[in-house]
Amino acid sequence: MSDRNTTTKTVDRAVDRDFDFELIPGVPAGLPKDEDILWQGKPQALALAREAYKINWIAGYMLAIVVWRAGGAYADGGTALMMATGLPYLVLAVAGYAVIYLLAWAQARASIYTITSARVIMRVGAALPVTYTIPFVRIATARLDLKPSGTGTIAMEITEGMRLSFAVLWPHLRPGFAKHTQPAFRCIPDAQTVARLLADAAQAKLNEPVVTMAPSGAVLAAE
């Protein structure tokens, strides 16, 4: 992968709200010359609808209402009344399912997850895009929730000192951790391979020797 000769800004809150022209999709300010993109991806829309928007549970609830109303109408007036009563509810159920899926699809389409040789970058938000930059040194642990289909969620526990908004980041986070928000690559395909790549990249970066300037007359030392 070719080097990029642009520089990137470091933001204490790990969020970049600039709308600068993206030289690289998902990376607002480009990359320094010593940093490379290792992987980019986005959520799978149907998996995101199931896990974040609970579309299956909502669809089941709506279908239960359809059956209940249609069944009551059938008992009162037979097939004709059942169709007249149940069909509008069925149309509403299908419309509700479509709206929820559309929301998930829009989120998935607008999102770009990036792993570089030095950090994680998350461009999220369908209506108002926001980019979060998380250096590997800020990631305490990463947890993979793998589904039988191969899709999965990689949640990252962040060290103290980095503020992440639960409301802005949702649904790209680990559920149930509102107080200590854990950003996540949500519902990505081939999640196990991506998790291994993230672990290897972070380990390689954290194990890099740091060269410091010794006092005058001494030799350079690598930490």
Side-chain angles (χ1 to χ4, degrees):
M1 188 172 297
S2 61
D3 293 339
R4 275 80 176 183
N5 294 321
T6 55
T7 58
T8 186
K9 295 180 288 185
T10 301
V11 182
D12 291 338
R13 293 177 62 187
V15 59
D16 184 354
R17 296 180 183 272
D18 292 340
F19 291 93
D20 298 336
F21 175 75
E22 290 185 342
L23 299 175
I24 307 169
V27 185
L31 294 176
K33 63 180 182 179
D34 59 346
E35 186 176 352
D36 295 312
I37 291 178
L38 304 179
W39 175 86
Q40 282 192 312
K42 56 183 59 189
Q44 189 180 80
L46 184 57
L48 188 66
R50 286 196 306 262
E51 295 185 30
Y53 291 84
K54 306 301 181 185
I55 193 170
N56 288 350
W57 287 96
I58 296 173
Y61 174 76
M62 291 188 296
L63 287 176
I65 293 177
V66 172
V67 172
W68 170 54
R69 298 294 296 179
Y74 179 79
D76 292 337
T79 303
L81 184 58
M82 178 188 73
M83 295 296 294
T85 303
L87 189 58
Y89 282 96
L90 182 60
V91 170
L92 288 175
V94 172
Y97 185 96
V99 168
I100 295 169
Y101 178 80
L102 183 61
L103 291 173
W105 175 84
Q107 277 286 353
R109 185 175 183 272
S111 304
I112 301 179
Y113 303 147
T114 304
I115 300 174
T116 77
S117 52
R119 54 187 164 148
V120 164
I121 304 172
M122 300 175 64
R123 206 269 307 270
V124 299
L128 181 62
V130 176
T131 301
Y132 285 90
T133 297
I134 307 170
F136 289 148
V137 294
R138 288 291 192 176
I139 301 176
T141 60
R143 175 183 180 273
L144 171 63
D145 180 15
L146 187 65
K147 303 300 181 183
S149 62
T151 62
T153 293
I154 303 173
M156 291 161 279
E157 183 181 350
I158 306 303
T159 59
E160 295 293 334
M162 179 172 285
R163 292 174 292 173
L164 300 174
S165 169
F166 185 95
V168 174
L169 197 56
W170 191 92
H172 311 277
L173 44 76
R174 184 181 178 187
F177 288 80
K179 186 176 181 180
H180 301 289
T181 305
Q182 295 187 15
F185 291 167
R186 197 81 186 266
C187 304
I188 56 173
D190 199 14
Q192 190 167 17
T193 300
V194 178
R196 174 50 55 192
L197 186 150
L198 174 61
D200 291 344
Q203 191 64 39
K205 180 63 178 178
L206 296 177
N207 287 340
E208 281 185 353
V210 178
V211 179
T212 58
M213 185 63 70
S216 179
V219 297
L220 290 178
E223 296 179 352

